[in-house]
Amino acid sequence: MTDASSPSAAPADLPGWTHVYSGKVRDLYRPAEGGPAPAERMLVVASDRVSAFDHVLSPGIPGKGELLTTLSLWWFDQLSGADGGRRIPNHLAATHALVAESDDAVDLVPAAVVGRAMIVRTLDMLPIECVVRGYLTGSGWKEYVAEGTVCGIPLPAGLQDGDRLPEPLFTPAYKAPMGEHDENISFARAEELVGAERAAQLRDLSLEIYRRAAATAEAKGLILADTKFEFGVDADGVLTLADEVLTSDSSRYWDAAAWARGTTPAERMASFDKQIVRDWLAAAWNGQGTPPELPAEIVERTAAKYRELLEKLTD
C-alpha cells in the first residue's frame, strides 16, 4: 500500500473507498460501490504533507496528519457547545466512524489512516475561503506597509508588525482551482460569487467562530492571530463548517506571554504553527523552480510545535 504521508506519494488505496481528490495536505475519498459506507458520506484523510507559499514540501512532518485531525475534532466539539456558545453545524457524520451491518459494527475508517481521517457528510462547498485576521502580520503587514490597508480595508496609521487590530477583520479569498493561487477578494466580490445574504452569513459566522476560539485560546495562554475557514451547504440549505478548523496549518497561534513582553516581531510571534517552515523557506529559496528539501532540524522543530499546541489547548 502506498504511504499517503509521503509528499510525493500517490494517495493510499483504501478498502471500501475510492480516491477522488487531493489537496496540498488532505486526500478525499467517496464510498466504493458495494462498500459499507453510505453514499452520502466522504472520507477526509489528513496526510503528513506540509505546504508553504503554495508548494508542497519534502519531507513531510511525521505525525502531522494525526495531530491536525485530533485538533480539528477537538475544535468541532468546542464549537458544538462545549465552549458554552451556540452549536455551529459542522460536516462530521453523526456516526463518524462506525455503522451497523447486521449484528456487527463496521469501522468505516481503514486501519491505514486511523487517527488521521474523518467521516463527513457531503456538502455543496462554497468557493470562498473565509479568513479572519485579529492581528497584523504576514501578507496583511506587507500590504499595510505599502498601502495602509489590509485586503483593501483602511487601518489606522502607526501600527507595527504583530499588533492587535482594532477589530477582527473578515478578508475573504476566492478558492482557485487546483494548481492555481487563491485570490484575495473584496466583500463585494464575495457577494457576487455567493449572493449578498450568503456572504453576510459567511462573514458573521466566521467572526463569531474566531472570537469564540480566540477567547478559548487566550484562556490557555495563546493568541489566535488569524485563521481561515471553509463552509458548505447541506441538503437542507444549512451553512455548515467543513474541512479542518483552527489547526496549526490553517491558523497562526502565538504565545501570549511572549507577545506581551516582546519588543520585536520575532520575540512577539513565538508561534505554534508552521511559521518555522515559512521562515526557513523564505530565507533558503528565491521562489524559482523546485523548493529545497526541509532540513531535519526544521522538521523536528515543527513537529514539536504542533504537538505542543495540541497539548496546550486540550490540557
Side-chain angles (χ1 to χ4, degrees):
M1 178 175 290
T2 302
D3 178 9
S5 296
S6 171
S8 60
D13 180 15
L14 301 178
W17 297 93
T18 300
H19 174 257
V20 293
Y21 177 80
S22 287
K24 295 184 184 72
V25 173
R26 281 166 182 75
D27 300 315
L28 186 63
Y29 297 77
R30 61 173 172 78
E33 186 174 351
E40 67 275 11
R41 298 293 182 254
M42 300 292 284
L43 181 73
V44 180
V45 178
S47 74
D48 290 347
R49 297 189 295 268
V50 63
S51 68
F53 308 130
D54 290 319
H55 287 269
V56 176
L57 308 176
S58 181
I61 308 298
K64 175 174 173 283
E66 186 167 349
L67 290 168
L68 293 183
T69 301
T70 302
L71 189 53
S72 278
L73 291 173
W74 185 82
W75 275 117
F76 281 130
D77 184 55
Q78 298 304 299
L79 296 168
S80 292
D83 66 348
R86 72 182 181 98
R87 179 182 178 275
I88 304 296
N90 67 61
H91 68 161
L92 290 178
T95 52
H96 181 53
L98 300 175
V99 292
E101 186 177 86
S102 302
D103 295 327
D104 300 320
V106 177
D107 193 343
L108 296 182
V109 178
V113 294
V114 165
R116 55 189 180 93
M118 297 183 289
I119 304 292
V120 304
R121 298 179 291 131
T122 56
L123 301 173
D124 181 12
M125 295 301 294
L126 298 172
I128 303 292
E129 190 171 75
C130 297
V131 180
V132 180
R133 304 168 189 263
Y135 289 73
L136 184 59
T137 192
S139 63
W141 166 247
K142 292 179 182 178
E143 180 184 330
Y144 175 78
V145 170
E147 306 290 341
T149 61
V150 170
C151 295
I153 301 171
L155 290 177
L159 296 177
Q160 300 298 313
D161 193 3
D163 277 358
R164 184 172 183 170
L165 295 171
E167 292 291 336
L169 299 179
F170 176 70
T171 58
Y174 171 65
K175 288 161 53 179
M178 184 67 175
E180 299 181 22
H181 297 294
D182 290 344
E183 174 192 356
N184 289 335
I185 59 175
S186 66
F187 186 73
R189 177 58 178 148
E191 291 179 316
E192 292 175 359
L193 288 169
V194 299
E197 182 178 358
R198 185 66 80 190
Q201 289 176 334
L202 288 171
R203 177 196 61 204
D204 295 347
L205 190 53
S206 296
L207 288 169
E208 176 188 344
I209 295 171
Y210 172 81
R211 289 188 173 102
R212 285 169 60 175
T216 298
E218 184 178 8
K220 301 299 180 75
L222 297 164
I223 287 172
L224 177 60
D226 56 39
T227 192
K228 58 186 177 183
F229 306 114
E230 294 194 27
F231 293 92
V233 179
D234 70 9
D236 297 320
V238 177
L239 189 62
T240 303
L241 184 60
D243 198 56
E244 65 178 331
V245 60
L246 296 158
T247 69
S248 318
D249 267 15
S250 66
S251 316
R252 283 186 174 92
Y253 286 94
W254 298 338
D255 182 272
W259 184 88
R261 67 174 179 263
T263 57
T264 69
E267 290 172 340
R268 300 173 77 188
M269 300 171 199
S271 63
F272 297 91
D273 48 54
K274 63 178 180 181
Q275 192 62 43
I276 295 169
V277 172
R278 293 191 194 101
D279 290 345
W280 179 85
L281 190 60
W285 183 50
N286 64 3
Q288 302 299 312
T290 302
E293 288 212 354
L294 296 173
E297 185 244 347
I298 297 297
V299 170
E300 292 165 5
R301 285 174 55 200
T302 303
K305 284 297 184 182
Y306 276 52
R307 289 192 297 270
E308 188 176 359
L309 175 65
L310 180 62
E311 292 167 359
K312 282 180 174 291
L313 281 171
T314 62
D315 183 17

